[in-house]
């Protein structure tokens, strides 16, 4: 009888092993099916249509890899911020950076100290600041597939100083900068610099409204007729002393400020909320606008930053980035090349 018992035991073990493999295979199939369904739902939500089945299959693979990265990151729980599925989840990080980040590093290095800094002697700054609450920030915009973040950053800072000097919040035209500002580093959807944009606004005697010269998201021919109706003017611009978060704090305490950051990582691509603490370096590739600062409930100091990737990204289009870190250049290089426009009081 013993051999029969062993045979039975072997059959049971074999059945268990086969069942385990079958279960794992079924689990994988369910996972793939679930991911495909999620991708279909995501496509419907974001209005995404692909040119053929091959492209759709490729995008499904990218989507799957990104979702798994997002879920793995959030399960770790070690970071003070979360990632989420958003409108960029079917893009590789390389594709995302190429289409959304367009900050061009200045061809001439900045001096270690700014030539003029309006807020140098500012001593008392508020513990928190949010220029949205003071009516100096327009709603979140979306640059689309055009790498003109530099224009959105410069425009947001100009909208801010215009409201502070005139009392009127006016949405200004990024497309005018894309089409008409072609000097220096500014090359429309191919990238540019906020300082060069400020120079253009000064030399053009102002910038027209968004309504008059609406955003198209592509390089176009300068419309001189529309350009000839400026709605906001600035008289100059200044650089915040480099690599000093304390200097940047003084500036942001007084007006929205254009800043350049390293926004190239996948964590930035899928940021959905919390105080962002990295991962990032100092390879500046994206122009955004610091519109405030504060301290979170757990005591973490942060910069409040307005982005131009639509309201579906981050905290309704904004990101809170950790402030007062050990590195003098600030998180993601936020204190390296900050600048702001100056205007005459009306």
């Amino acid at each position: 009888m013993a051999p029969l018992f062993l045979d039975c035991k072997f059959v049971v073990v074999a059945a268990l092993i086969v069942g385990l493999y079958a279960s794992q295979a079924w689990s994988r199939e369910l996972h793939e099916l679930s991911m495909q369904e999620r991708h279909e739902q995501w496509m419907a939500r974001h209005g995404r249509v692909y040119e053929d089945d091959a492209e759709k299959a490729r995008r499904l693979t990218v989507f799957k890899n990104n979702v798994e990265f997002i879920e793995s990151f959030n399960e770790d729980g070690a970071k003070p911020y979360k990632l989420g599925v958003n409108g960029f989840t079917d893009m590789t990080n390389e594709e995302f950076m190429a289409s959304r980040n367009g900050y061009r590093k200045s061809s001439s290095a900045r001096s270690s100290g700014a030539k003029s800094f309006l807020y140098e002697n500012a001593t008392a700054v508020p513990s928190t600041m949010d220029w949205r609450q003071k009516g100096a920030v327009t709603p979140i915009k979306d640059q689309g597939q055009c790498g003109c973040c530099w224009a959105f950053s410069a425009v947001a800072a100009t909208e801010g100083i215009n409201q502070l000097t005139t009392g009127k919040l006016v949405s200004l035209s990024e497309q005018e900068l894309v089409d008409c500002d072609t000097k220096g580093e500014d090359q429309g959807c191919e990238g540019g610099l906020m300082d060069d944009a400020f120079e253009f606004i000064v030399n053009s005697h102002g910038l027209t409204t968004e309504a008059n010269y609406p955003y198209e998201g592509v390089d176009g021919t300068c419309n001189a007729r529309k350009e000839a109706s400026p709605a906001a003017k600035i008289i100059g611009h200044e650089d915040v002393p480099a690599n000093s978060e304390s200097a940047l704090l003084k500036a942001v305490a007084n007006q929205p400020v254009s800043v350049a950051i390293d926004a190239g990582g996948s964590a930035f691509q899928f940021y959905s909320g919390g105080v962002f603490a990295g991962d990032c370096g100092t390879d500046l590739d994206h122009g955004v606008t610091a519109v405030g600062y504060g301290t979170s409930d757990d005591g973490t100091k942060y910069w409040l930053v307005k982005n131009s990737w639509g309201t579906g990204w981050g905290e309704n289009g904004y990101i809170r980035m950790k402030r007062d870190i050990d590195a003098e250049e600030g998180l993601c290089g936020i204190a390296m090349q900050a600048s702001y426009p100056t205007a005459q009081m009306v």
Side-chain angles (χ1 to χ4, degrees), residues 171-180 207-216 220-228:
S171 183
L172 300 175
S173 175
E174 292 84 11
Q175 193 65 42
E176 180 181 348
L177 289 174
V178 171
D179 291 353
C180 306
L207 199 62
T208 194
T209 65
E210 183 85 40
N212 184 52
Y213 205 145
Y215 186 63
E216 300 289 342
T221 302
C222 184
N223 189 318
R225 180 180 58 82
K226 292 181 178 180
E227 186 189 19

Side-chain angles (χ1 to χ4, degrees), residues 150-167:
W150 59 275
F152 282 82
S153 172
V155 164
T158 302
E159 290 169 343
I161 194 63
N162 183 61
Q163 192 278 335
L164 292 173
T165 54
T166 68

Side-chain angles (χ1 to χ4, degrees), residues 154-163 165-166 172 177 194-207 230-238 255 258 339-346:
V155 164
T158 302
E159 290 169 343
I161 194 63
N162 183 61
Q163 192 278 335
T165 54
T166 68
L172 300 175
L177 289 174
M194 286 79 84
D195 278 5
D196 286 352
F198 293 142
E199 283 293 319
F200 171 84
I201 298 171
V202 171
N203 295 332
S204 298
H205 307 292
L207 199 62
K233 297 181 179 181
I234 60 174
I235 59 175
H237 64 94
E238 294 182 344
Q255 66 181 94
S258 287
S339 59
Y340 54 89
T342 56
Q344 199 162 15
M345 294 296 293
V346 176

Side-chain angles (χ1 to χ4, degrees), residues 30-332:
L30 283 177
H31 176 71
E32 294 297 332
L33 180 62
S34 172
M35 196 63 71
Q36 188 172 6
E37 290 175 344
R38 289 175 68 176
H39 185 227
E40 292 285 353
Q41 293 170 357
W42 178 90
M43 288 174 59
R45 183 165 62 251
H46 294 280
R48 190 77 86 249
V49 177
Y50 302 118
E51 60 183 25
D52 53 35
D53 289 342
E55 176 65 9
K56 183 177 180 180
R58 191 174 81 83
R59 291 299 165 187
L60 172 59
T61 299
V62 174
F63 180 85
K64 173 179 174 291
N65 292 338
N66 284 334
V67 169
E68 290 175 348
F69 166 76
I70 291 166
E71 292 179 345
S72 175
F73 181 97
N74 290 339
E75 286 170 3
D76 179 36
K79 302 284 188 179
Y81 61 98
K82 295 292 184 182
L83 307 185
V85 173
N86 57 28
F88 312 127
T89 313
D90 71 337
M91 301 173 70
T92 66
N93 187 244
E94 291 74 19
E95 290 171 332
F96 176 76
M97 289 190 294
S99 66
R100 292 282 171 165
N101 298 352
Y103 178 80
R104 287 172 174 256
K105 298 176 184 64
S106 177
S107 56
S108 58
R110 286 187 174 194
S111 58
S112 58
K115 295 179 181 178
S116 174
F117 180 44
L118 184 63
Y119 307 114
E120 179 67 40
N121 298 320
T123 53
V125 297
S127 58
T128 62
M129 175 56 67
D130 187 340
W131 286 111
R132 298 174 302 182
Q133 296 179 358
K134 296 182 179 297
V137 182
T138 58
I140 289 291
K141 302 179 183 182
D142 191 346
Q143 69 186 73
Q145 297 293 318
C146 174
C148 61
C149 57
W150 59 275
F152 282 82
S153 172
V155 164
T158 302
E159 290 169 343
I161 194 63
N162 183 61
Q163 192 278 335
L164 292 173
T165 54
T166 68
K168 299 177 181 179
L169 181 62
V170 180
S171 183
L172 300 175
S173 175
E174 292 84 11
Q175 193 65 42
E176 180 181 348
L177 289 174
V178 171
D179 291 353
C180 306
D181 178 14
T182 56
K183 293 183 179 179
E185 299 291 338
D186 294 350
Q187 301 296 323
C189 292
E190 303 307 311
L193 279 171
M194 286 79 84
D195 278 5
D196 286 352
F198 293 142
E199 283 293 319
F200 171 84
I201 298 171
V202 171
N203 295 332
S204 298
H205 307 292
L207 199 62
T208 194
T209 65
E210 183 85 40
N212 184 52
Y213 205 145
Y215 186 63
E216 300 289 342
V218 294
D219 291 321
T221 302
C222 184
N223 189 318
R225 180 180 58 82
K226 292 181 178 180
E227 186 189 19
S229 304
K233 297 181 179 181
I234 60 174
I235 59 175
H237 64 94
E238 294 182 344
D239 293 336
V240 177
N243 300 324
S244 171
E245 285 198 89
S246 61
L248 181 58
L249 186 73
K250 292 179 181 180
V252 179
N254 286 278
Q255 66 181 94
V257 176
S258 287
V259 292
I261 58 174
D262 179 349
S266 293
F268 211 95
Q269 180 178 348
F270 301 118
Y271 166 81
S272 67
V275 178
F276 186 79
D279 301 318
C280 56
T282 57
D283 187 13
L284 306 179
D285 61 4
H286 189 48
V288 289
T289 315
V291 296
Y293 55 84
T295 305
S296 64
D297 292 339
D298 66 0
T300 304
K301 295 180 179 179
Y302 64 82
W303 296 107
L304 175 63
V305 176
K306 182 185 185 184
N307 203 351
S308 53
W309 294 344
T311 56
W313 178 88
E315 295 181 329
N316 297 314
Y318 292 87
I319 182 171
R320 287 178 292 158
M321 299 177 63
K322 191 173 182 179
R323 177 167 58 94
D324 283 356
I325 68 169
D326 291 338
E328 62 179 8
E329 63 269 16
L331 185 68
C332 306

